Amino acid sequence: MFGIDLSGQPEIVVQVAGYIEAGWELAASWLLSPAAWSQFGLLVVAYFAALMVTRKLRPLLVRVLDPGDSTHLLATPRRFVMGFLPLLLPLMAYVFTGIGESIVRSLFDSGAVIAFGKRVFLFLAVRALVRDIITDSFLKLIGKYVFLPIAGLYALGMLDVAQTQLSAMTVQLGNISFSVMALVRGLIAGALLFWLGRWSNEQSTNFISKQEEMRPSIRQLAVKSVEFIIFGVAFLLLMNIMGINLSALAVLGGAIGVGLGFGLQKIASNFISGVILLVEGQATVGDYVELDGGEAGTIVRMTARAAILETFDGRWIVVPNEDFITTRVVNYSDSGSANRYEAPFSVSYDTDINIVPDIINAAVAAHPDVLNEPYPADCELVGFGDSGIDFTVEFWVNGIDDGQHKYKSQVLFIVWNALKDNGIQIPYPHRVVEFKGAVPKIET
């Protein structure tokens, strides 16, 4: 090259020098060729024509596509299409350059310069797509490090060479063999499928969550089912794109099955129990439950493996789904049904106990959260204690007596005040000591 002897240099240096020499010869031929100059002129004309058309067409498209503050059904698609307006100039230049290329090839039987310019305009379109249109951080990362390099190789006319070199390189993993090109194609497709699956899952989750006529448990099951289907289909598509025969994964699938059978029994059991819970709807998000083991709280989240309970003091308890199936569970919420509670108290033996129930029932019934249905407040005599007469008042509320709603405490305050207002004494422990024989003398 240029009279320089490269015979003693490494092979890669010789190859790079060969590419540089070929590029130099191509550039020299373009500089000295009238056809090349005519093609370059057509490139300039195509760009200015695209610029003029874009200036005229863009305001018209904005008026047609801009929905303003409208919430009409077509407003979102119109905003989406309007976001692609930055591609108008490079794509119009690409179209006009393509027309110029067909003219040049018919006249000179050559169009290398204008073809190169057309590829450059396509590269500029991809650059505008990544820089100005894509807003998702994950897609922007893919565009910056995948789409732009591919578009750059295409613009330089080296994309086919790169594909050939990558296709010739193979990777062997056991009995599975694939080329580096398949791996690159799989990484690109996998990234796009992952993003598309995540986006589809978010859209389907939002749609299902708005279906208020469905039970919460059925909505939860539908969300999980759609999620498994979306990512299952994405996995199968990725295997097909990479050219991996799924039958080659049979051994791996068998090993996973054996692992599920022996080492992952609990996980499988909890997963199946979770599906049963979602189908039956006996416990769902928002219910206040108490398990046989003493765990109690509001279900704030249900996963494939466990349910998460939040106690009244803010702690989270992770309870395996299997415990909801194999043990006794008390569901205090059960779709918002009323619950009965009791508040015990005592009065002095000097009290006329016949007036106590009416006083307490009227006072407790005045509480705004105490219900008259299914039963009103009911004060009952329960026994004669050592220090006083024992009563209890039963009352119904449409909620849970937990850290947020301390109904029992509030009712006891009401009982105390009602007894005080009516002059009824609340006893405290008394002890009577009897001495048999002479009373012992106390020496002073």
Side-chain angles (χ1 to χ4, degrees):
M1 173 182 172
F2 306 114
I4 301 175
D5 185 12
L6 300 176
S7 58
Q9 300 297 323
E11 182 180 357
I12 187 172
V13 175
V14 177
Q15 290 181 353
V16 171
Y19 290 137
I20 294 175
E21 184 177 6
W24 173 258
E25 294 177 354
L26 180 61
S29 63
W30 285 1
L31 292 174
L32 300 177
S33 171
W37 282 103
S38 62
Q39 294 176 47
F40 181 76
L42 282 177
L43 277 177
V44 175
V45 171
Y47 174 77
F48 280 103
L51 187 62
M52 295 177 58
V53 171
T54 300
R55 288 179 177 176
K56 298 290 184 181
L57 188 59
R58 186 184 178 94
L60 177 62
L61 292 176
V62 170
R63 287 196 299 269
V64 172
L65 296 175
D66 188 6
D69 297 331
S70 174
T71 58
H72 191 266
L73 181 62
L74 296 178
T76 300
R78 288 166 63 185
R79 292 190 185 96
F80 178 76
V81 175
M82 192 173 67
F84 287 88
L85 287 181
L87 295 180
L88 187 60
L89 176 59
L91 290 182
M92 292 298 298
Y94 180 84
V95 172
F96 289 151
T97 305
I99 297 174
E101 182 185 10
S102 61
I103 296 175
V104 169
R105 290 191 182 276
S106 63
L107 294 176
F108 300 102
D109 195 22
S110 174
V113 175
I114 200 168
F116 173 74
K118 186 176 70 170
R119 295 195 299 268
V120 170
F121 286 135
L122 184 61
F123 171 79
L124 294 176
V126 175
R127 180 172 174 269
L129 177 67
V130 174
R131 184 188 62 185
D132 302 325
I133 298 176
I134 296 178
T135 57
D136 184 86
S137 58
F138 182 73
L139 281 183
K140 187 176 286 290
L141 184 67
I142 296 176
K144 184 177 180 180
Y145 293 103
V146 177
F147 294 157
L148 279 178
I150 292 177
L153 290 174
Y154 176 74
L156 296 175
M158 300 179 62
L159 185 60
D160 293 337
V161 177
Q163 286 181 336
T164 303
Q165 294 292 331
L166 293 176
S167 298
M169 302 171 61
T170 60
V171 177
Q172 190 78 21
L173 293 177
N175 61 339
I176 302 177
S177 177
F178 49 87
S179 65
V180 175
M181 186 62 201
L183 180 61
V184 173
R185 188 165 56 240
L187 290 175
I188 298 173
L192 293 177
L193 287 174
F194 172 78
W195 176 86
L196 183 61
R198 187 186 64 178
W199 179 83
S200 302
N201 186 50
E202 291 176 354
Q203 299 302 315
S204 61
T205 299
N206 293 334
F207 176 77
I208 295 173
S209 299
K210 295 178 181 178
Q211 309 306 311
E212 297 182 355
E213 66 276 5
M214 299 172 62
R215 289 189 308 172
S217 59
I218 298 299
R219 290 203 300 265
Q220 193 81 2
L221 178 62
V223 168
K224 293 298 181 183
S225 300
V226 171
E227 182 178 358
F228 283 125
I229 291 174
I230 289 176
F231 286 101
V233 171
F235 174 76
L236 294 177
L237 289 175
L238 179 59
M239 294 297 101
N240 186 47
I241 291 173
M242 292 185 65
I244 298 177
N245 188 359
L246 294 179
S247 61
L249 301 177
V251 177
L252 179 60
I256 294 175
V258 173
L260 287 174
F262 289 97
L264 304 178
Q265 294 183 50
K266 284 294 183 181
I267 294 179
S269 176
N270 286 319
F271 176 78
I272 297 173
S273 299
V275 174
I276 294 174
L277 282 174
L278 293 174
V279 172
E280 293 183 349
Q282 298 301 319
T284 186
V285 175
D287 288 352
Y288 187 89
V289 297
E290 181 178 356
L291 277 70
D292 205 19
E295 301 89 351
T298 302
I299 301 177
V300 295
R301 184 181 177 188
M302 298 188 72
T303 65
R305 187 188 66 85
I308 300 177
L309 309 184
E310 184 177 12
T311 63
F312 69 90
D313 55 357
R315 292 180 298 170
W316 280 23
I317 304 175
V318 180
V319 181
N321 291 329
E322 186 182 12
D323 290 356
F324 286 88
I325 303 298
T326 59
T327 61
R328 183 175 63 91
V329 179
V330 180
N331 191 335
Y332 289 92
S333 299
D334 194 19
S335 301
S337 62
N339 297 288
R340 192 194 73 171
Y341 297 97
E342 298 179 358
F345 65 95
S346 299
V347 298
S348 172
Y349 273 101
D350 297 332
T351 305
D352 181 5
I353 62 174
N354 296 296
I355 65 173
V356 172
D358 293 337
I359 294 174
I360 298 302
N361 288 340
V364 174
H367 190 286
D369 293 328
V370 173
L371 305 176
N372 289 324
E373 298 291 340
Y375 301 102
D378 183 22
C379 180
E380 299 178 352
L381 176 66
V382 295
F384 300 97
D386 296 336
S387 303
I389 303 173
D390 297 329
F391 286 87
T392 186
V393 58
E394 300 174 351
F395 60 95
W396 290 76
V397 292
N398 193 13
I400 306 300
D401 189 7
D402 58 5
Q404 293 181 339
H405 308 96
K406 300 179 180 180
Y407 298 118
K408 183 177 179 180
S409 174
Q410 297 169 10
V411 168
L412 286 175
F413 270 104
I414 292 174
V415 170
W416 172 275
N417 293 325
L419 295 177
K420 287 293 184 181
D421 292 343
N422 288 273
I424 299 174
Q425 293 184 354
I426 297 176
Y428 50 86
H430 291 78
R431 295 292 182 265
V432 178
V433 180
E434 295 183 359
F435 295 96
K436 293 183 179 181
V439 178
K441 296 180 179 180
I442 301 176
E443 296 181 357
T444 59

